[in-house]
């Protein structure tokens, strides 16, 4: 999923007039790096640093500048000998100055042991991570490395830093036991504080920690106070595990901790239980700065979407990215999304709704919300792949776009693949959206999904739709109760 741009980590220039420290990274191509290749990389880095030091000396009298504060080693597979070469370069005095590692605050160590056998992979992780023993690391990314329980031990040097503010452990194959080790490190009391209390970003994605991992993540949330960017998705969590995570997040916000969340990604959790939905609604309703929300594949259905849209409307957040994909949303749910779009002040830039069942009727509702926005609209990306849509929905979206896009001037991409448009409608879509239109290679052009729409659907919709006040009462009731797991 697209990630929002959060505030960058400040560089550590020694003087306000000195050029900023540089970032070191190896050549871009993906490859195995042996000791000879590592020596070539180090040689290139040395030349970069010396050139930068000369530039600093010409512009400032700083005799001990920080030359480098960021390093990226990712997308390479380092042998054990190569790791030793890199580590020696970082930890030994550099040309009469302090070791380069002393100035580094940001270390991207993702995907550095691909294809290495377990023993060598652990050795590489240990050697590389230990090179940052004297660094005051603020940002660490260890994603895309196969890390078991032994791997966490090998990486402990970079994890066990009270200076740490941002941590990513995505696609690491973390088990519940490994998650327990991570939670122990992050929540360990250190003179009245812990690492978790200082974190502003924490990402766990595509791991296999299950409900046990949810309990460990909840331990981290219980100690957190400053989180801005939270990602806990695709971890094989069941209803029970998802309950635990959202309960911990809800409790933290009720207690006044983590008040400034900007990004929340809970994709592929299961919020079908009433208790977990209540906790989710309460948490969202109290957000003030939320800009990015991903609730893809969360078993929300129409009722869950209805109440979340009300929670978002009641919050003080100006949401820019919303993902409700894969939630079994039908026409009524689409109407609630349309109501939110209509009342959100035109702030939304990205809307993902693919793999739902709202048909052309739902697409009509959403298109009308864009078309009728008095404030204008900032929407840039719309995804409605595989939503049982036909000609009626397609033409409603074309109408919302307006002649030459004048009604949605910021739209960059619209994705409608996996629906059912005949050749004539395909031509209309291509003529209207041009290169903004995504691929339609999975379109069913032999039929029209609208053939399955019954003439009395509007009447049925009216009967099935409860009063809006009921939803507000439900939200108020949910926000006034505590979830106990």
């Amino acid at each position: 999923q697209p990630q929002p741009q959060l505030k960058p980590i400040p560089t550590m220039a020694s003087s306000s007039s000195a050029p900023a420290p540089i970032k070191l990274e190896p050549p871009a191509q993906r490859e195995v790096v042996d000791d000879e290749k590592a020596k070539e990389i180090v040689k290139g880095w040395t030349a970069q640093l010396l050139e930068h030091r000369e530039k600093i000396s010409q512009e400032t009298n700083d005799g001990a500048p920080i030359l480098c504060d960021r390093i990226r080693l990712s997308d390479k597979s380092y042998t054990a000998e190569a790791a030793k070469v890199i580590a020696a370069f970082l930890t030994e005095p550099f040309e009469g100055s302090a070791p380069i590692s002393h100035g580094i605050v940001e270390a991207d160590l993702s995907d550095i042991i691909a294809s290495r056998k377990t023993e060598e992979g652990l050795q590489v992780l240990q050697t590389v991570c230990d090179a940052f023993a004297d660094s005051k690391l603020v940002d660490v990314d260890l994603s895309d490395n196969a890390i078991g329980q032994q791997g966490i031990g090998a990486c402990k040097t970079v994890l066990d830093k009270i200076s740490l503010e941002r941590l990513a452990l995505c696609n690491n194959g973390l088990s519940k036991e490994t998650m327990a080790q991570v939670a122990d490190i992050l929540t360990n009391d250190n003179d009245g504080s812990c690492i978790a209390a200082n974190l502003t970003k924490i990402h766990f994605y595509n791991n296999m920690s299950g409900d046990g991992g949810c309990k460990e993540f909840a331990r981290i949330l219980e100690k957190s106070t400053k989180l801005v960017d939270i990602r806990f998705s695709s971890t094989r969590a069941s209803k029970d595990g998802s309950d635990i995570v959202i309960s911990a997040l809800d409790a933290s916000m009720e207690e006044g901790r983590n008040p400034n969340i900007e990004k929340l990604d809970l994709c592929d959790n299961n919020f079908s239980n009433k208790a977990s939905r209540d906790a989710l609604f309460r948490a969202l309703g109290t957000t003030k700065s939320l800009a990015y929300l991903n609730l893809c594949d969360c078993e929300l259905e129409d009722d869950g979407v209805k109440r979340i849209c009300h929670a978002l409307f009641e919050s003080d957040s100006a949401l820019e990215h919303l993902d409700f994909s894969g939630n079994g949303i039908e026409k009524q749910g689409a109407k609630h999304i349309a109501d939110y779009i209509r009342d959100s002040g035109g702030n939304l830039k990205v809307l993902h709704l693919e793999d739902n069942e709202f048909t052309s009727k739902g697409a009509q509702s959403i298109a009308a919300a864009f078309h009728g926005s008095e404030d204008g609209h900032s929407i840039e990306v719309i995804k409605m792949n595989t939503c049982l849509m036909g000609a009626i929905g397609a033409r409603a979206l074309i109408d919302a776009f307006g002649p030459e896009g004048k009604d949605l001037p910021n739209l960059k991409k619209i994705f409608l693949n996996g629906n059912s448009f005949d050749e004539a409608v395909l031509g209309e879509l291509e003529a209207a959206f041009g290169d903004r239109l995504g691929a339609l290679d999975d379109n069913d052009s032999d039929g029209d999904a609208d053939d399955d729409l019954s003439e009395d659907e509007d009447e049925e919709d009216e009967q099935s739709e409860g009063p809006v006040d009921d939803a507000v009462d439900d939200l108020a009731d949910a926000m006034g109760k505590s979830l106990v797991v």
Side-chain angles (χ1 to χ4, degrees):
Q1 303 289 340
Q3 305 294 310
Q5 296 298 313
L6 301 179
K7 295 176 182 178
I9 297 173
T11 59
M12 296 185 65
S14 301
S15 168
S16 59
S17 61
I22 63 173
K23 178 180 180 179
L24 294 179
E25 51 189 332
Q29 69 269 23
R30 188 173 179 83
E31 62 186 341
V32 173
V33 177
D34 58 17
D35 58 337
E36 290 302 317
K37 184 63 180 177
K39 290 174 183 175
E40 292 179 22
I41 292 171
V42 165
K43 183 178 179 181
W45 286 349
T46 300
Q48 281 182 264
L49 292 165
L50 290 175
E51 180 181 352
H52 189 61
R53 186 163 72 176
E54 177 62 24
K55 182 179 180 181
I56 292 173
S57 69
Q58 294 173 359
E59 299 184 25
T60 179
N61 293 322
D62 192 340
I66 293 174
L67 300 177
C68 167
D69 63 354
R70 293 153 292 150
I71 189 167
R72 177 182 176 273
L73 298 177
S74 61
D75 297 329
K76 304 284 185 184
S77 180
Y78 298 89
T79 66
E81 292 304 314
K84 291 177 183 177
V85 172
I86 299 292
F89 168 77
L90 293 172
T91 56
E92 293 174 359
F94 179 76
E95 300 289 333
S97 300
I100 296 301
S101 65
H102 287 195
I104 292 178
V105 296
E106 180 179 338
D108 184 350
L109 310 179
S110 60
D111 194 13
I112 63 172
I113 57 171
S115 78
R116 299 297 97 198
K117 291 183 177 180
T118 300
E119 183 177 353
E120 184 178 24
L122 290 172
Q123 186 178 351
V124 170
L125 287 173
Q126 181 92 50
T127 301
V128 170
C129 290
D130 284 355
F132 299 97
D134 296 318
S135 305
K136 293 182 179 179
L137 293 176
V138 172
D139 188 298
V140 171
D141 190 346
L142 286 165
S143 300
D144 300 312
N145 294 304
I147 296 176
Q149 287 179 276
Q150 291 175 295
I152 291 299
C155 299
K156 188 175 181 181
T157 303
V158 296
L159 292 172
D160 197 5
K161 295 275 189 184
I162 197 64
S163 58
L164 195 62
E165 296 179 12
R166 296 184 174 188
L167 174 63
L169 283 164
C170 302
N171 195 34
N172 295 114
L174 300 182
S175 65
K176 64 179 182 180
E177 292 82 9
T178 314
M179 277 292 293
Q181 286 183 301
V182 174
D184 286 343
I185 293 171
L186 298 182
T187 61
N188 182 52
D189 186 86
N190 186 351
D191 294 329
S193 185
C194 66
I195 297 166
N198 295 322
L199 290 177
T200 60
K201 166 187 167 181
I202 188 162
H203 281 196
F204 290 96
Y205 161 73
N206 201 29
N207 289 303
M208 55 183 188
S209 52
D211 289 352
C214 292
K215 293 179 181 178
E216 303 305 332
F217 187 67
R219 286 174 56 202
I220 298 170
L221 289 177
E222 287 164 4
K223 296 288 187 178
S224 65
T225 63
K226 303 175 183 178
L227 286 171
V228 173
D229 182 353
I230 301 172
R231 188 180 195 188
F232 189 77
S233 56
S234 301
T235 63
R236 303 186 184 181
S238 73
K239 293 179 184 179
D240 292 340
S242 301
D243 284 349
I244 292 168
V245 170
I246 197 60
S247 175
L249 179 61
D250 174 40
S252 78
M253 299 184 73
E254 184 179 9
E255 294 165 6
R257 295 182 286 111
N258 305 314
N260 299 313
I261 295 173
E262 297 176 12
K263 175 176 182 269
L264 182 61
D265 183 345
L266 298 173
C267 172
D268 199 28
N269 282 278
N270 187 327
F271 299 127
S272 57
N273 285 343
K274 183 180 185 301
S276 61
R277 285 185 181 181
D278 286 349
L280 178 60
F281 309 147
R282 280 195 301 271
L284 293 176
T286 58
T287 58
K288 299 177 181 178
S289 307
L290 192 66
Y292 178 107
L293 178 62
N294 184 357
L295 294 174
C296 171
D297 297 321
C298 286
E299 305 285 344
L300 294 172
E301 301 182 329
D302 285 359
D303 180 64
V305 167
K306 169 184 176 180
R307 297 174 69 190
I308 286 170
C309 286
H310 280 290
L312 291 171
F313 180 71
E314 292 295 318
S315 77
D316 294 326
S317 297
L319 205 63
E320 295 182 359
H321 181 117
L322 177 60
D323 193 338
F324 276 144
S325 300
N327 276 293
I329 301 170
E330 300 183 1
K331 297 181 294 297
Q332 294 300 333
K335 285 185 177 182
H336 298 302
I337 294 168
D339 287 341
Y340 174 72
I341 292 169
R342 192 175 288 109
D343 296 333
S344 65
N347 294 301
L348 199 64
K349 294 182 179 179
V350 178
L351 179 64
H352 290 184
L353 298 173
E354 58 188 341
D355 297 322
N356 283 299
E357 302 168 7
F358 50 72
T359 73
S360 282
K361 291 291 187 179
Q364 272 186 310
S365 297
I366 292 166
F370 284 127
H371 191 55
S373 176
E374 295 180 0
D375 302 316
H377 218 284
S378 302
I379 195 71
E380 297 177 0
V381 179
I382 299 172
K383 274 194 177 182
M384 291 186 183
N385 296 326
T386 320
C387 289
L388 305 181
M389 194 192 315
I392 294 173
R395 287 171 176 147
L397 290 168
I398 292 171
D399 185 51
F401 187 55
E404 299 182 357
K406 73 177 183 66
D407 294 330
L408 295 178
N410 298 300
L411 189 70
K412 298 176 180 177
K413 275 292 183 182
I414 182 166
F415 299 90
L416 301 171
N417 206 5
N419 290 295
S420 181
F421 309 126
D422 63 24
E423 293 298 328
V425 175
L426 287 176
E428 292 175 39
L429 287 168
E430 290 168 356
F433 294 112
D435 58 6
R436 297 177 180 86
L437 185 64
L440 292 168
D441 52 312
D442 286 333
N443 175 64
D444 178 10
S445 59
D446 294 331
D448 188 333
D450 295 346
D451 293 342
D452 297 328
L453 298 180
S454 62
E455 294 180 359
D456 59 350
E457 273 189 329
D458 288 338
E459 182 179 346
E460 292 174 3
D461 290 348
E462 191 69 30
Q463 292 174 353
S464 64
E465 178 68 9
V468 172
D469 288 345
D470 290 347
V472 177
D473 290 343
D474 288 344
L475 174 63
D477 183 58
M479 293 182 72
K481 296 179 181 179
S482 297
L483 173 64
V484 179
V485 178

